Amino acid sequence: HEDGSYWNYTYDDRYRLLTANRFNSNGHIKAAYAYTYDDGDNMLTKVEPFEDNFDDGNYTDWTVTSGSYSASNNMLESTHTTNWNTIRRASTDGDNEMTFRYRINDTSDANTRAYIYPRYRWGSEYLWLRIFPGKMEIGQYVSSTSTVLDSNTSATTSQDTWYNVRIVSDGANITVWRWADGSMPTQVLNTSSATVTAVNYHTIEVGPNYQFDFDDIRIYSDSLNNTTTFAVNNANELTSMSDYNGTTTFGF
C-alpha cells in the first residue's frame, strides 16, 4: 500500500481464509481478522477490529464517567448542558489506529470544542486531539503541564457537516487525517514528539452544551475486537447472525 502498510494471510488445508492481519509500515499496529467454519464450509464466526456504529440505539460497550450521552438517533450525542460529557472504552494497546465521524451542530461559539483521547492513562497523563470550529490540535498533558504538539487553523469545521477522522498513534509519532464525506483524506496534523505512549482508555469528552455528534467509531489495536456469529440449518442456509448490534434472523 502507498502508506507502507501490508497484509499477512493464513489459510487451512481447504484454502479457507483463517486470519487476515493488516500492519502499519512499522508493524506496530495490527488490524486482526479471524474466521471459523463448519464442515459444510459455512462461516461460523468472524472476529474483526472493534467498531460501534450505534445502530442498536445504545452505547453498551462504553462507560459514561461524567455528563450524559444518547445513542437513540443511531449516533453518539453529548447531551448534558452543565457538566462535561465524558465517555470511554477500556484498552491496553498504546499503538493503535482510531477512526470516527463527527459533526458540530452549532459553530457560533468559537470555544466549542471536543477532545478525543487516543491514549488516556489517567487524569494526569493523556494524549489528545482537540476539535474547535476554527482549528484542530494535537497535544498531551503530562505532570500538570499541557503542551500543544501541532495546530492547524486551516482545519476548520462547517456547521452540520459530517467529517471523517483517522488518528494513527505509533510510539512518539501521531498523525491525523480528516476529510468530509465524498472527499479524499488530507493529513492535517503530525508530531513525532509524543511522550504519552501507553493507554488505559480511549475517551471522548465534550464541553457542556456543545453540540457534537459522533458515529462509526473504529479502533484497531491488539486489545479490542468484535465477534460476529452465524447459525445455519441442515440445508446450509443462514438462519441467524449475531453481532454488536444484536441478532438478525433469516427465513427461506
Side-chain angles (χ1 to χ4, degrees):
H1 295 262
E2 291 182 0
D3 62 359
S5 62
Y6 58 95
W7 287 83
N8 182 294
Y9 304 93
T10 64
Y11 301 85
D12 64 11
D13 55 6
R14 297 171 66 172
Y15 302 103
R16 298 179 299 193
L17 181 64
L18 297 179
T19 64
N21 298 316
R22 191 208 71 187
F23 298 88
N24 73 327
S25 58
N26 292 329
H28 298 158
I29 302 174
K30 180 174 70 173
Y33 303 78
Y35 311 90
T36 64
Y37 309 85
D38 64 12
D39 290 338
D41 291 334
N42 299 295
M43 185 179 295
L44 297 180
T45 63
K46 176 174 64 174
V47 179
E48 300 175 297
F50 174 81
E51 177 182 3
D52 201 341
N53 57 21
F54 308 103
D55 285 353
D56 54 2
N58 63 59
Y59 48 83
T60 54
D61 289 322
W62 302 79
T63 300
V64 175
T65 60
S66 176
S68 58
Y69 280 87
S70 172
S72 60
N73 292 320
N74 304 123
M75 67 185 79
L76 186 66
E77 302 172 272
S78 57
T79 55
H80 211 283
T81 59
T82 56
N83 294 334
W84 278 81
N85 301 274
T86 306
I87 192 169
R88 67 189 188 187
R89 181 72 165 85
S91 180
T92 59
D93 188 4
D95 289 333
N96 62 77
E97 179 175 325
M98 186 176 184
T99 67
F100 61 91
R101 301 174 74 232
Y102 81 91
R103 177 177 66 183
I104 306 178
N105 299 309
D106 185 355
T107 59
S108 59
D109 183 351
N111 289 318
T112 296
R113 61 194 182 276
Y115 289 84
I116 293 83
Y117 303 93
R119 293 172 178 160
Y120 189 97
R121 298 205 67 194
W122 40 70
S124 60
E125 187 173 321
Y126 44 81
L127 177 77
W128 48 260
L129 168 69
R130 186 162 57 191
I131 302 173
F132 292 90
K135 63 181 176 181
M136 295 178 68
E137 296 178 328
I138 50 175
Q140 62 185 21
Y141 186 83
V142 180
S143 300
S144 302
T145 300
S146 185
T147 304
V148 176
L149 301 175
D150 195 16
S151 181
N152 187 342
T153 56
S154 296
T156 59
T157 297
S158 298
Q159 184 169 306
D160 297 325
T161 300
W162 281 102
Y163 294 88
N164 303 270
V165 174
R166 177 189 178 204
I167 310 170
V168 177
S169 304
D170 185 357
N173 302 302
I174 313 298
T175 309
V176 180
W177 288 264
R178 194 190 71 163
W179 63 101
D181 287 351
S183 301
M184 293 295 292
T186 300
Q187 182 177 308
V188 292
L189 296 165
N190 183 63
T191 184
S192 59
S193 302
T195 60
V196 179
T197 57
V199 64
N200 292 331
Y201 302 99
H202 301 292
T203 304
I204 296 173
E205 190 170 43
V206 180
N209 212 31
Y210 294 152
Q211 299 178 33
F212 273 82
D213 300 331
F214 299 92
D215 204 358
D216 298 329
I217 300 174
R218 296 183 179 182
I219 301 171
Y220 304 89
S221 76
D222 292 339
S223 63
L224 297 175
N225 58 57
N226 286 343
T227 299
T228 302
T229 59
F230 305 92
V232 296
N233 60 21
N234 291 335
N236 292 324
E237 296 171 328
L238 178 66
T239 58
S240 69
M241 178 185 74
S242 300
D243 63 8
Y244 62 94
N245 281 322
T247 298
T248 302
T249 58
F250 305 93
F252 300 87

